[in-house]
Amino acid sequence: MTNIKTISLDEIRAMKDSGQLKDTPEDAPTKDMPDGFWDDAKVVKRTKKKSVHLRIDPDVLEFFQADGPGHLTRMNDVLRSYMIAIKEKNHHQHRGE
């Protein structure tokens, strides 16, 4: 289980000033996304998260962990995108579009 700590912007600035945070190195690996990947992207307002226990296939977890920290956020973002797509599809079907 991961311990999550909430800190203020002032605390983040203090950490940066003291050298605890570092800028991303110029040679840091990047991941190219396929053409059109972000074409339908939408900004979503973040809400308070709920903690759940979730069983997933090991290869799915390894896939998301391979990109480093933030894998749970990325997994949530993929689930949110799927949810929105299904809701929009259902909305259009209801309207006969």
Side-chain angles (χ1 to χ4, degrees), residues 19-61:
Q20 295 178 45
L21 299 179
K22 307 217 182 304
D23 291 331
T24 303
E26 289 186 28
D27 62 346
T30 60
K31 185 165 188 150
D32 290 329
M33 303 307 282
D35 289 341
F37 183 83
W38 296 108
D39 288 353
D40 296 323
K42 296 176 184 162
V43 176
V44 294
K45 182 180 175 186
R46 297 283 180 190
T47 58
K48 185 172 175 150
K49 306 284 193 259
K50 289 191 175 191
S51 180
V52 298
H53 176 83
L54 176 67
R55 291 183 169 274
I56 58 173
D57 296 328
D59 58 332
V60 172
L61 180 60

Side-chain angles (χ1 to χ4, degrees), residues 76-88:
N76 183 76
D77 291 345
V78 168
L79 291 169
R80 173 169 294 287
S81 295
Y82 177 79
M83 177 192 74
I84 290 169
I86 296 299
K87 283 184 170 186
E88 287 178 357

Side-chain angles (χ1 to χ4, degrees), residues 88-97:
E88 287 178 357
K89 178 183 172 188
N90 291 341
H91 176 74
H92 291 301
Q93 286 177 346
H94 254 241
R95 295 178 60 195
E97 297 177 0

